[in-house]
Each structure stands twice: as structure tokens, then as C-alpha cells.
């Protein structure tokens, strides 16, 4: 039975899973966006977000804790310098998963996982507010009254060529 087993084991033993998630977290921090399967991305989000949250407060204990998970000096430095500045006032939700469709070989769901504050296209591309439209029914109101005269004028014109 699976009682109280809340995370995806990804068909790997613990050591292999930890190494996989640590390597993916390093790649995410260094490249800001990676392409992977949806199951791995969801597992990565649970692994990486607490580590990214630690970077908000740059202290020696936090650096040591993050380094104990990642074992990569460059990634820890990047996380505590550049990434921490961008996420300083964000209360959570540091990653975004964008589904891209299925892989051709085995039909696995594929996606991008990225750091939210680094996608310049989504930050700049905020939709402008459209003019206030109201929903109209097809049964009554102004639109039904407006359609009737147009239908009546079109009917005699259609009959005229038939009479000739």
C-alpha cells in the first residue's frame, strides 16, 4: 500500500533520484529553463523551490545547506547572487511548467520548466484590457430586433430573380 507516500519515485532508487534531481536543479539554476518530461518537472519543482527559497537570505548556514544538496559551487553562487535578487519579493512559486506536447518516441508528456522571473517574453507580454463587451443571448434584446429588418429586406430581393 502507498499510505503517506506523497512524492513521485520516478522508477529510481533514492540515491539515483537524488542525483537526478540535484543535477536537474543545477541545470535549471544555470540555464534558467530546461526541457524535460512532465513527471520529472513536477518532482523537480518540489525539490528546487525550497532550495531557491533559502537563497532569499544570504547566510553561511543557508549556503552550506544548499551546497549539501547541489554539490556545485558555481550553481550555489549563481543562486545566491543573481537568482536571489530577482525573487527577493516573490512569496513563492519560483518555477513555471509549460507543457509542450508528447515526445515522438514513447509518447511521454514533455514540458519546459523555467524560473518565473527570467522569462522576459511573458513579463513584457501582458494582455491589454479589451473594451467592455457584454454577453448577449440569441433569443431577444437588441440583436434579435436588428436582425429581423435585415431578413425582411433580403427576402424580397431573393424572390425577385425567381419571378423572372
Amino acid at each position: 500500500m502507498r499510505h503517506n507516500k506523497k512524492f513521485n519515485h520516478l522508477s529510481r532508487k533514492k540515491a539515483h533520484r537524488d542525483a537526478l534531481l540535484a543535477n536537474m536543479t543545477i541545470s535549471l539554476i544555470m540555464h534558467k529553463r530546461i526541457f524535460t518530461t512532465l513527471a520529472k518537472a513536477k518532482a523537480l519543482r518540489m525539490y528546487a523551490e525550497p532550495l531557491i527559497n533559502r537563497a532569499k537570505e544570504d547566510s553561511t548556514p543557508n549556503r552550506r545547506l544548499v551546497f549539501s544538496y547541489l554539490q556545485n559551487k558555481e550553481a550555489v553562487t549563481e543562486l545566491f547572487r543573481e537568482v536571489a535578487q530577482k525573487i527577493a519579493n516573490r512569496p513563492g512559486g519560483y518555477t513555471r511548467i509549460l507543457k509542450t506536447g508528447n515526445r515522438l518516441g514513447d509518447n511521454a508528456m514533455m514540458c519546459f520548466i523555467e524560473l518565473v522571473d527570467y522569462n522576459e517574453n511573458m513579463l513584457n507580454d501582458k494582455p491589454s484590457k479589451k473594451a467592455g463587451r457584454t454577453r448577449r443571448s440569441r433569443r431577444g434584446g437588441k440583436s434579435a430586433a436588428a436582425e429581423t429588418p435585415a431578413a425582411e429586406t433580403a427576402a424580397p430581393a431573393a424572390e425577385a430573380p425567381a419571378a423572372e
Side-chain angles (χ1 to χ4, degrees), residues 54-87:
R54 288 272 178 184
K56 284 183 174 183
E57 182 189 342
D58 190 3
S59 64
T60 304
N62 283 348
R63 280 183 177 263
R64 285 180 177 166
L65 191 136
V66 171
F67 183 76
S68 73
Y69 281 93
L70 298 184
Q71 298 292 314
N72 187 313
K73 287 182 186 177
E74 291 82 20
V76 172
T77 305
E78 175 89 9
L79 177 64
F80 278 87
R81 285 202 183 137
E82 282 81 31
V83 177
Q85 290 175 355
K86 288 243 184 180
I87 62 154

Side-chain angles (χ1 to χ4, degrees), residues 17-48:
R17 188 171 55 247
D18 287 344
L20 170 85
L21 293 173
N23 287 333
M24 289 178 72
T25 304
I26 292 166
S27 296
L28 180 65
I29 291 168
M30 299 305 282
H31 301 290
K32 312 302 185 258
R33 169 190 261 199
I34 57 174
F35 185 69
T36 183
T37 62
L38 186 62
K40 286 180 187 174
K42 288 180 177 179
L44 176 63
R45 182 178 8 174
M46 288 177 55
Y47 186 87

